[in-house]
């Protein structure tokens, strides 16, 4: 029997998701043995026309990492969709937009202005910006178009499965690959990680009182966090309540709060809104009937940059998708 | 007849790096352009974020060197809050950084750039990859490579939470101390890494240095640029990856300037070109003269060879011996040979391993006091470290609540962007004459490019160490008349 | 011009009745308010508000029992904190906080309902339709 054809592809990615595959170490050799890798731009030579020449559906599964933010990426993922039986969004960026998705607080113009004109090290008196087309020596040089908005993969093409994480941990990657090879996949549209919240599996959950009430919000550098206590109990915002488990509580183990890279659990459509809800249900609960409107305001005021914090990884996947400009 | 050659590392579609070569009427090379068609805009979208989150946001600039960003960010945050981390915290950071430097240099040497040498620059392309390396150095060695990287990366995972995008740095220190058991493990890893680095240098000696043909390529003219160099040095001008002052030497090796991180804007300026999303930094005092070498051109280089060129030596004994040897063979300092970057990288690998061991053995690293809580009102902070691929600058301004108002970043590879264009051009000029394109072009250009280990190009993240290349030769109408392709 | 839509989440135990009362009394209140009955203002998840915006609403009005009168005791206090934090978050995302309003209307307060609803309609009219990308 022919080995299943597998493709890896990256869009607006940092390369960390590729490193995650390399980190499979010996397991990678097993994978390479069991499948036929037809496309992996970082590792193998390929051309778009090779993919175009394939029959539709010829690729058993395409793993795509990185968000989509240029026209070329959009074309390429559409092509891969056509040629693939399954498409897996690999990593936070493809899944929910990821950190680069924070760019959705701005648009191309404001980003260019900062990067190419306003930063203090740039000397650019003529106000030159990179152009999609430039004539040099009478010949044209081209650059791909940079979109105003960062998109998640499933906003551009249909996605069958999601592998969460920035970057996805090796055990989840291996589980996914095994499930695919053995044909033991869950329902389409599933996230290939446990459908539990991080708080459910967190080693600190036992210290999280049933009825938590906090008054003071503290930023991580303002206190020495007790390595046994739930961060929320200490007033440090942790995205655990709005985040899916499966990462092995990596940040918590380094004594740092979660920032939500795994995205939300199944029932939650908007990770940030879920976090608003989670914080609101513990902030200033004590004697809540005696708290005035003004006091509510000042409790809430303590939270700096809620949009950036609650949507740190998921702004493009949020119901609003981006900041409304102008 | 002007012609254009496009070398597109992946396809015309994708692309985190693209090379365009222009021919003049005689068919000789007039110019080469190294284009980076990618931008993400961290300088802008970091605005409005809480400053301490920068240490978690900025690593996503690059998943290959996230640790370096995490460190530069940590230091910029210390400076922002004017808080000095406790001694143990500094040592833990440097420990993580050393482990990172060692594993990253290993990755580059064995998987990416090294195959050019281990297997040989003239070897068929199909063999110039990790499999070819395994054949040459043996499977056991290959297993060692995988094994040591795993151990080194484990140090980062344990202290930093995640190896890809660590999270432990905060203004004033780190979130977690070192336990006794972990320390024992780190000491062992340090020892193993030193042995591994020695073994790697030995292999380099046997395979490369004992082969006159290779040495000739290294010292030859094609891969040579007389530029300024920049790198971080400690108080006695020894190479340091984590801390110190930035030293710049001129093309003759004389100290040109030495400055503090906080003064970087007095010394570095960046140029914008309409044909690339990447910017081109240069020395402000010398000025931008275009993509040219020499004392009058502000172009400078960073990363392994540059660091060795700016320093008076290595701070650890074994690395120091190797340092002396390298300059002996290359005929003194500074060495302008681009391919010597590979050699310098291995000397740094040894230094990083020795330093890792030193730090792990240091009793103080067990001190549980790893954070000072900042008390100052934040305003502005600058942090600099050496990333594997060069000097890395993070610069933040905030309001009094520590919310980011402005960010500037000069990312490691960026410092080499002008020099990379020049190296590509030099190789192209040597190999394209009278309109005749030698088949060796791909090889040579690739090698020029890879010596810098530029992490922005996906090609250099390549696992088998083979950069897929396609060269299109176009007539003035833009039609492809010939295609050279590396299969 | 079509009036921008406002979604009103009304608590079953108070403001829903209040709205009825306003209707019975033939008090004028804007036709562009689509009401959704909820069991308590504390049941209105921030997600519902975003959902309404995503589906084309230009404003969201949440009405519950007066403080101290919540059928579930503390639901409206929770709503108060949630909506306050949500507004702060929305503002950062370019959505005017006035597009979300939490207020209290008791079952007998038909007039108050009409007043709040009219004010909200005016506010949203002033802000114009919410166009999301
Ligand atoms: S998910 Fe994380 S590791 Fe993967 S590409 Fe995005 S930023 Fe990089
Ligand atoms: S809030 Fe964070 S620290 Fe607390 S239990 Fe949840 S994941 Fe763990
Ligand atoms: S703790 Fe949170 S941010 Fe950290 S890896 Fe896990 S899901 Fe991601
Ligand atoms: S029952 Fe009306 S607000 Fe709770």
């Amino acid at each position: 029997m022919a080995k299943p054809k597998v493709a890896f592809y990256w869009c607006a990615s940092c390369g960390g998701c590729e490193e995650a595959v390399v980190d499979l170490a010996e397991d990678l050799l097993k994978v390479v043995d069991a499948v036929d890798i037809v496309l992996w731009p970082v590792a193998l030579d390929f051309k778009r026309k090779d993919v175009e020449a394939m029959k539709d559906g010829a690729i058993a599964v395409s793993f795509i990492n990185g968000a989509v933010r240029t026209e070329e990426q959009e074309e390429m993922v559409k092509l891969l969709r056509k040629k693939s039986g399954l498409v897996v969004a690999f990593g936070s960026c493809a899944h929910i937009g990821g950190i680069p998705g924070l760019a959705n607080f701005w648009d191309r113009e404001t980003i260019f202005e900062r990067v190419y004109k306003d930063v203090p090290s740039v000397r650019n008196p003529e106000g030159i910006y990179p152009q999609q087309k430039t004539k040099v020596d009478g010949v044209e040089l081209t650059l791909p178009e940079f979109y105003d908005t960062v998109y998640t993969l499933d906003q551009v093409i249909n996605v069958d499965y999601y592998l969460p994480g920035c970057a996805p941990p090796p055990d989840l990657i291996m589980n996914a690959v095994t499930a695919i090879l053995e044909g033991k996949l869950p329902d389409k549209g599933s996230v290939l990680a446990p459908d539990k919240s991080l708080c459910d599996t967190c080693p600190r959950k036992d210290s999280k009182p049933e009825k938590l009430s906090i008054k003071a919000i503290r930023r991580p550098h303002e206190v020495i966090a007790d390595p046994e206590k739930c961060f929320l109990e200490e007033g440090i915002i942790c995205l655990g309540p709005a985040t899916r488990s499966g990462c092995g509580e990596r940040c918590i183990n380094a004594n740092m709060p979660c920032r939500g890279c795994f995205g939300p659990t199944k029932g939650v459509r908007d990770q940030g809104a879920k976090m608003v809800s989670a914080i609101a249900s513990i902030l200033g609960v004590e004697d809540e009937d005696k708290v005035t409107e003004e006091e509510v305001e000042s409790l809430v005021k303590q939270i700096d940059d809620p949009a950036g914090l609650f949507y740190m990884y998921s702004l493009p996947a949020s119901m609003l998708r981006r900041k409304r400009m102008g | 007849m002007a012609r254009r050659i496009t070398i597109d590392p992946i396809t015309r579609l994708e692309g985190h790096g693209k090379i365009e070569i222009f021919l003049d009427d005689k068919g000789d090379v007039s110019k080469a352009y190294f284009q980076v068609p990618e931008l993400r805009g961290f300088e802008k979208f970091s605005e409005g974020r809480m400053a301490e989150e920068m240490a978690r946001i900025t690593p996503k600039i690059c998943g290959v060197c996230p640790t370096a960003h995490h460190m530069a960010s940590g230091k910029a945050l210390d400076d922002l809050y004017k808080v000095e981390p406790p001694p143990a915290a500094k040592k833990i950071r440097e420990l993580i950084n050393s482990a990172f430097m060692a594993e990253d240099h290993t990755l580059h040497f064995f998987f990416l750039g090294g195959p050019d040498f281990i297997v040989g620059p003239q070897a068929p392309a199909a063999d110039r990859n990790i499999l070819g390396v395994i054949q040459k150095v043996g499977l056991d060695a290959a297993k060692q490579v995988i094994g040591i990287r795993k151990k080194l990366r484990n140090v980062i995972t344990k202290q930093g939470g995640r190896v890809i995008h660590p999270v432990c740095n905060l203004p004033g220190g780190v979130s977690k101390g070192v336990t006794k058991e972990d320390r024992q493990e780190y000491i062992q890893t340090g020892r193993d890494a030193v042995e591994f680095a020695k073994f790697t240098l030995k292999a380099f000696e046997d395979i490369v240095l004992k082969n006159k043909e290779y040495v000739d390529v290294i010292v030859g003219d094609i891969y040579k640029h007389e530029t300024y160099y920049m790198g971080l040095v400690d108080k006695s001008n020894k190479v340091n990856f984590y801390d110190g002052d930035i030293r710049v030497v001129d093309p003759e090796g004389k100290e040109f300037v030495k400055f503090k991180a906080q003064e970087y804007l007095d010394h570095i300026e960046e140029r914008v070109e309409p044909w690339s999303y990447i910017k081109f930094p240069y020395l402000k005092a010398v000025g931008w003269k275009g993509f040219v070498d020499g004392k009058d051109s502000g172009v400078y280089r960073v990363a392994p060879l540059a660091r060795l060129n700016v320093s008076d030596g290595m701070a650890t004994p074994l690395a120091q011996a190797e340092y002396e040897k390298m300059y002996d063979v290359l005929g003194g300092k500074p060495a302008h040979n681009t391919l010597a970057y590979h050699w310098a990288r291995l000397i740094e690998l040894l230094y990083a391993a020795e330093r890792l061991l030193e730090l792990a053995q240091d009793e103080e690293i067990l001190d549980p006091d790893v954070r000072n809580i900042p008390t100052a009102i934040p305003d502005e902070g600058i942090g600099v470290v050496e990333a594997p691929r060069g000097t890395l600058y993070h610069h933040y301004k905030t309001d009094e609540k520590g919310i980011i108002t402005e960010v500037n970043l000069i990312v490691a590879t960026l410092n080499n962007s002008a020099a990379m264009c020049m190296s590509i051009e030099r190789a192209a000029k040597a190999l394209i004459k009278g309109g005749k394109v030698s088949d060796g072009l791909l090889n040579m250009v690739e090698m020029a490019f890879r010596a810098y280990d530029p992490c922005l190009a996906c090609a250099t993240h390549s696992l088998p160490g083979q950069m897929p290349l396609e060269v299109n030769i176009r007539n003035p109408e833009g039609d492809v008349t010939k295609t050279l392709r590396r299969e | 011009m079509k009036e921008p839509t406002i979604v009103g989440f009304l608590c079953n135990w108070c403001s829903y009745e209040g709205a009825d009362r306003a209707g019975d009394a033939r008090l004028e209140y804007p036709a562009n308010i689509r009401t959704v009955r909820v069991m308590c203002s504390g049941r209105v998840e921030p997600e519902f508000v975003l959902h309404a915006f995503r589906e084309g609403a230009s404003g969201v009005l949440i009405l519950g029992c007066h403080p101290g009168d919540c059928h579930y005791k503390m639901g409206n206090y929770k709503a108060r904190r949630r909506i306050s934090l949500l507004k702060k978050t929305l503002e950062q995302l370019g959505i005017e906080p006035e597009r979300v309003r939490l207020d209290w209307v008791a079952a007998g307060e038909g007039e108050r309902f009409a007043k709040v609803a009219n004010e909200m309609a005016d506010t949203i009219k002033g802000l114009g339709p919410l166009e999301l990308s």
Side-chain angles (χ1 to χ4, degrees), chain A residues 198-199 202 204-205 208 229-232 238 240-241 252 258:
Chain A
L198 189 68
C199 292
C202 176
R204 302 188 186 192
K205 70 163 190 276
K208 189 178 169 188
K229 264 195 196 157
C230 167
F231 283 104
L232 286 174
C238 175
I252 313 287
C258 173

Side-chain angles (χ1 to χ4, degrees), chain C residues 11-128:
Chain C
C11 165
N12 176 54
W13 304 96
C14 52
S15 37
Y16 196 77
E17 297 254 324
D20 263 1
R21 204 53 81 81
D24 293 347
R26 296 180 193 280
L27 292 171
E28 273 201 34
Y29 69 90
N32 55 328
I33 296 198
R34 310 276 162 77
T35 58
V36 180
R37 175 162 34 171
V38 291
M39 290 313 283
C40 171
S41 64
R43 290 284 172 84
V44 181
E45 287 286 342
E47 274 196 355
F48 298 2
V49 177
L50 296 187
H51 193 72
F53 285 143
R54 185 35 73 205
E55 295 297 313
S58 295
V60 175
L61 182 62
I62 301 136
L63 297 178
C65 315
H66 285 272
D69 294 346
C70 172
H71 198 78
Y72 306 93
K73 292 211 170 71
M74 302 299 187
N76 48 6
Y77 294 122
K78 188 167 170 185
R80 200 166 66 168
R81 299 191 301 266
R82 270 185 184 164
I83 300 306
S84 170
L85 182 53
L86 179 66
K87 282 166 106 166
K88 189 172 174 189
T89 309
L90 288 177
E91 195 173 1
Q92 277 188 287
L93 291 166
I95 296 184
E96 300 84 348
E98 303 79 45
R99 289 187 189 274
V100 184
R101 177 166 174 177
L102 172 69
D103 220 317
W104 320 124
V105 171
E109 294 182 320
E111 260 174 57
R112 182 167 163 78
F113 175 82
K115 179 173 167 278
V116 171
N118 280 311
E119 280 172 11
M120 183 69 179
D122 285 347
T123 306
I124 299 304
K125 207 167 167 183
L127 290 171

Side-chain angles (χ1 to χ4, degrees), chain B residues 29 222 424-433 438 441 444:
Chain B
V29 173
I222 299 179
I424 286 155
E425 188 173 291
R426 172 75 54 99
K429 279 187 170 155
L431 290 145
I432 303 174
K433 288 268 158 62
S438 141
L441 173 75
M444 305 295 265

Side-chain angles (χ1 to χ4, degrees), chain A residues 198 243-244 247 249-252 258-262 313, chain B residues 56 162:
Chain A
L198 189 68
T243 301
R244 185 184 287 265
C247 69
E249 297 78 34
R250 297 185 286 191
C251 301
I252 313 287
C258 173
R259 286 296 173 255
C261 80
F262 262 55
Y313 283 88
Chain B
R56 301 183 71 164
R162 320 193 284 193

Side-chain angles (χ1 to χ4, degrees), chain B residues 219 324-335 337:
Chain B
V219 298
E324 285 163 19
K325 183 165 153 197
M326 182 183 92
Y327 284 111
D328 266 358
V329 173
L330 297 179
K333 244 178 33 177
N337 322 84

